[in-house]
Amino acid sequence: MRTSTTKAFVLRMIPYRDADMVCTLLTRTEGKISAMARGARRSKRRFGGALDYFCLVEAELRPSKSGMASLTSVNLISSYSRITEDVERFTAASHIVEVSRLASKEGDPSPQPFDLLQASLEALQGGGDPKSLVRIFQIKTVAHLGYALAGGHCTGCGGPIGDGETHLSDLSLVCSSCAPRMSKTITQGAVKTLEAAQRIPYSRMSTLSITPTLDQQLGPLVQNALTRALGATPNSLDIF
Amino acid sequence: MIAGPIRQLIKEFQRLPGVGEKTAFRLVMHVLESPQPQAQALADALVEIKQRIRPCSRCFQMTEEEVCAICASPKRDSSVICVVEDQASLMAIERARQFYGIYHVLGGRVSPMEGVGPGDLRIAELLKRIEGEGVKEVVVATNPNVEGEATALYLKRALEPYDVEITRIARGIPMGGDLEYSDALTLGRAFEGRMKY
Ligand SMILES: [Zn+2]
Ligand SMILES: [Zn+2]
């Protein structure tokens, strides 16, 4: 079968047999792809140091009729190597890659997961605040999965939500009368930040910083929403 | 219907890394067709390895003794500790016969995606050794990939308060490699790690 080339990020690498690697890649136009990189752990010639996390590569793939595609070579387009020069940036980038893997689907032509991952890594590489970037990434991911956290109106009755009356119920904001008992309220400042994080273009993510006080409110709510939207708890979640 | 013992052994082989059902079945057939003493030797070896092998109380490499042969050897320089991720790295360095110090096996690398944090590695044990064993130099020999680099970073941070020299093995063009085929990342690191000649 014919080979094809595509831009991709590595989402996961699992050693297989003596020298091979099963790679999960995120492509821009075909979503997530699993591919076998034969000899990847031995041959530096075909894969160089480019088959790794936080690298944008041009991947050459050969589909297989019977099963997993073969990754025949990779060419480095850009490496976000400054990420591994700092523990906080590395941890943030690892979380972003793991969540990208859980949130993306095979055969999905939507470019959003790829673009969001690329923009997040670029922002981390460029020195953006890791904590804020992780939170914005999480909020945007929850929105991509179909659960926009903030819309300005109560998702229960459709009415406007008064100041100090906003509750987060499951994955949406509701007013006091629609809120289930024991649900938490969040401040208008936090709602505004949620909205801003959802709206801000990828290229400007590092310009939005979330203060520690706001993040104390948003953190648990967003993480809970993320876990529900993904239907899984990321291994790296408890770090944030 | 497949006989119970065959099914059981397939299941056991499948637990091994990289072994799928087909490979497991092939291995079972191989064992079935091999002479009795050969199968017995395999079974004995499996039991023995679990009964007799344990981590060295100092460096945590796998050994039969309380303290491994490398740690116990008077020929090794115990003031230089080489920190590796796992037994496989240690064995690769030993094969090269270039390092005459002793080791410390971390038991993995930092990988937030897999839920492995610095607290899951034997970093505290390393610091204890540095306090008590008169160590002068720590050579960080984690793998030259993203997670290995990050692990090295955590080690550097943990080691900085101590009075030891911290070095990192040079990264760059592998022997047998070709400049023409090296990617920018590897070439960049090779220049970063250049040495006086
Ligand atoms: Zn309402
Ligand atoms: Zn030892």
Side-chain angles (χ1 to χ4, degrees):
Chain A
M1 265 192 250
R2 292 254 307 274
T3 59
S4 62
T5 59
T6 178
K7 278 187 189 177
F9 283 103
V10 174
L11 296 180
R12 190 177 231 184
M13 293 185 289
I14 296 172
Y16 183 75
R17 297 218 173 135
D18 273 359
D20 305 341
M21 192 86 87
V22 176
C23 301
T24 308
L25 304 173
L26 182 61
T27 67
R28 192 157 191 277
T29 49
E30 292 161 78
K32 198 157 64 173
I33 290 178
S34 290
M36 175 73 77
R38 279 179 222 290
R41 287 154 68 214
R42 199 170 281 154
S43 156
K44 291 284 166 207
R45 176 172 283 214
R46 264 193 301 172
F47 301 105
L51 193 58
D52 207 344
Y53 302 110
F54 323 144
C55 288
L56 175 61
V57 298
E58 184 153 79
E60 190 183 69
L61 291 157
R62 185 183 298 131
S64 137
K65 250 188 208 145
S66 51
M68 196 182 286
S70 288
L71 180 62
T72 47
S73 77
V74 294
N75 262 315
L76 186 73
I77 299 172
S78 25
S79 93
Y80 303 93
S81 55
R82 282 192 54 204
I83 289 171
T84 41
E85 289 168 10
D86 175 89
V87 166
E88 280 71 34
R89 275 203 292 257
F90 163 74
T91 320
S94 298
H95 176 71
I96 286 168
V97 168
E98 190 195 2
V99 172
S100 295
R101 175 172 60 80
L102 296 172
S104 54
K105 298 179 205 73
E106 285 183 27
D108 179 9
S110 143
Q112 267 176 347
F114 181 96
D115 291 345
L116 179 58
L117 174 59
Q118 181 172 13
S120 304
L121 293 180
E122 262 161 26
L124 283 170
Q125 168 87 358
D129 170 42
K131 274 215 163 78
S132 297
L133 283 168
V134 161
R135 202 64 76 215
I136 298 164
F137 168 84
Q138 290 175 335
I139 293 166
K140 284 194 176 301
T141 301
V142 171
H144 288 169
L145 292 169
Y147 306 93
L149 279 166
H153 289 272
C154 170
T155 46
C157 61
I161 306 179
D163 210 6
E165 280 193 278
T166 311
H167 299 248
L168 192 93
S169 161
D170 290 340
L171 288 167
S172 57
L173 299 180
V174 291
C175 73
S176 310
S177 9
C178 296
R181 258 197 292 171
M182 308 290 285
S183 66
K184 282 194 176 149
T185 59
I186 59 174
T187 62
Q188 279 308 103
V191 175
K192 288 228 162 69
T193 308
L194 272 178
E195 285 168 351
Q198 269 171 211
R199 248 189 349 247
I200 195 161
Y202 294 161
S203 58
R204 301 188 56 237
M205 285 195 298
S206 50
T207 61
L208 180 66
S209 80
I210 302 177
T211 64
T213 335
L214 276 177
D215 201 55
Q216 257 178 7
Q217 277 190 71
L218 286 176
L221 297 174
V222 173
Q223 288 192 355
N224 183 37
L226 182 70
T227 306
R228 279 162 159 268
L230 290 172
T233 309
N235 287 320
S236 51
L237 189 69
D238 54 356
I239 298 165
F240 295 96
Chain B
M1 258 323 260
I2 304 174
I6 294 184
R7 232 180 311 140
Q8 184 61 33
L9 190 54
I10 290 177
K11 213 172 97 193
E12 294 305 330
F13 276 136
Q14 272 189 275
R15 289 182 211 268
L16 301 175
V19 176
E21 200 180 340
K22 276 186 199 153
T23 306
F25 184 73
R26 276 214 330 271
L27 292 173
V28 169
M29 292 321 288
H30 176 83
V31 172
L32 269 178
E33 285 156 14
S34 57
Q36 173 70 21
Q38 204 176 312
Q40 189 62 51
L42 175 64
D44 290 346
L46 284 174
V47 173
E48 201 167 286
I49 197 170
K50 283 309 281 183
Q51 281 174 350
R52 294 186 36 192
I53 304 294
R54 55 180 163 173
C56 166
S57 63
R58 290 176 71 190
C59 72
F60 298 94
Q61 83 147 316
M62 291 299 159
T63 174
E64 268 188 89
E65 315 296 332
E66 166 73 17
V67 173
C68 76
I70 294 176
C71 287
S73 168
K75 287 186 189 143
R76 310 289 295 227
D77 179 356
S78 62
S79 72
V80 185
I81 294 187
C82 175
V83 183
V84 290
E85 289 177 18
D86 51 26
Q87 183 79 30
S89 300
L90 186 155
M91 282 158 69
I93 296 172
E94 279 299 289
R95 273 198 301 275
R97 295 172 178 272
Q98 288 291 321
F99 176 69
Y100 300 102
I102 54 176
Y103 292 93
H104 187 83
V105 181
L106 284 176
R109 58 166 172 257
V110 176
S111 176
M113 311 186 208
E114 306 299 334
V116 182
D120 299 310
L121 306 178
R122 299 190 191 101
I123 296 179
E125 288 87 341
L126 173 65
L127 300 180
K128 208 182 270 172
R129 289 183 69 186
I130 288 168
E131 278 171 355
E133 290 181 24
V135 179
K136 292 198 188 91
E137 182 185 348
V138 175
V139 186
V140 178
T142 50
N143 282 306
N145 51 40
V146 159
E147 290 179 333
E149 291 292 317
T151 307
L153 214 61
Y154 277 102
L155 283 170
K156 190 172 168 233
R157 206 154 82 163
L159 290 166
E160 260 161 3
Y162 295 83
D163 184 25
V164 286
E165 191 179 357
I166 309 162
T167 55
R168 177 93 171 96
I169 53 164
R171 296 147 287 171
I173 317 294
M175 291 302 286
D178 207 312
L179 286 184
E180 186 189 344
Y181 289 102
S182 295
D183 61 284
L185 194 70
T186 308
L187 265 174
R189 280 180 184 160
F191 273 89
E192 257 171 49
R194 69 188 184 275
M195 293 176 296
K196 228 178 160 63
Y197 190 62

